[in-house]
Amino acid sequence: MVTITAEHFDLGQICDSGQCFRMRPLAERTFEVIAGDKYLEVSQEGRQVTFFCDVQEYEQFWKSYFDLDTDYGEYIKLINPNDTYLVQAAAAGDGVRILRQELWEMIVTFLISQQNNIRRIRHCIELLCEKYGTLCTTENGRQYYGFPGPESLADLPEDGLMECNLGYRSKYVVRTARAVTEGEIDLKKIREMPCSQAKAELLKYFGVGEKVADCICLFALHHLQSFPVDTHIRQVLDEHYRRGFPNRRYRSCRGVMQQYIFYYELHEKDRKS
């Protein structure tokens, strides 16, 4: 067990931020996180966060996963105080962090995310993992399914994932799995590419558009200059940033600002109005 004090960190906000779909509440302020084939239970009381794993696993994986070496207060300080909308958005979601997630898992996740809501995405991924992932067991006997690798999906027919409620997205995932296993897509090379090159490479793949490529760059490759634009973000840009989002000011952390905006629009704006 590892307990830390963390500023600008909120498990509930991270869970509801739309970037991870295998994190869920187990009890009040306690959450389950599955990343690849790793499992974690983590709880929070105020600024105290307790990770129910050993020190080695925390240091080697979860510390980086939650981006805990980064001071998000420095990002918040960059916000123009005259930008009242972004000030409110950051205040509402200042516990959100950009997770460092696995590339293959994020490619599949955001292929599935197209024309889907968060609840349905979670359900699709759960079915996919139960059907094709490896059954794992924690030290205390809790069972869960790891995320299936491309080799587990590559031999399926293109409609083989319809049973996991993927609909037309089934062919996107299956074709991409085949491309990875056949060497057409080199995940290692993508991880090493700068943001613009990685995005251009991702856009070559079947089913990957601008928004999906930006999500993968942000949530898997941790390219913080990525700024995914979905319907919610487009509405915000049209209403509050008609001359364009101030990219120069936030060029090193546009993705962080995007997450503040996204969280605010989905979870806080209506409650505050």
Side-chain angles (χ1 to χ4, degrees), residues 77-197:
K77 287 178 184 177
L78 291 175
I79 296 174
N80 183 347
N82 296 321
D83 186 342
T84 56
Y85 174 81
L86 191 53
V87 168
Q88 290 175 349
D94 80 332
V96 174
R97 287 178 174 249
I98 308 298
L99 303 179
R100 295 178 181 269
Q101 301 180 83
E102 202 278 322
L103 177 57
W104 166 247
E105 185 169 342
M106 290 299 96
I107 290 174
V108 174
T109 294
F110 285 99
L111 284 172
I112 291 173
S113 74
Q114 298 177 76
Q115 304 299 316
N116 238 337
N117 60 46
I118 290 177
R119 182 177 179 181
R120 288 188 62 194
I121 297 166
R122 290 184 188 277
H123 183 58
C124 290
I125 292 172
E126 181 180 351
L127 292 175
L128 180 70
C129 293
E130 289 178 357
K131 182 72 174 178
Y132 297 103
T134 301
L135 180 63
C136 305
T137 305
T138 67
E139 290 182 357
N140 62 6
R142 190 176 186 88
Q143 292 189 323
Y144 64 98
Y145 290 90
F147 196 85
E151 65 283 348
S152 300
L153 308 176
D155 292 333
L156 296 174
E158 289 195 355
D159 63 353
L161 297 175
M162 300 280 279
E163 61 186 355
C164 298
N165 289 351
L166 265 63
Y168 69 87
R169 307 165 196 85
S170 175
K171 60 180 178 292
Y172 296 165
V173 174
V174 172
R175 286 193 195 180
T176 304
R178 288 177 188 167
V180 172
T181 58
E182 293 170 3
E184 182 182 340
I185 294 177
D186 189 329
L187 298 179
K188 183 176 184 295
K189 284 186 178 180
I190 296 174
R191 293 187 192 100
E192 297 169 351
M193 291 176 181
C195 183
S196 59
Q197 188 177 350

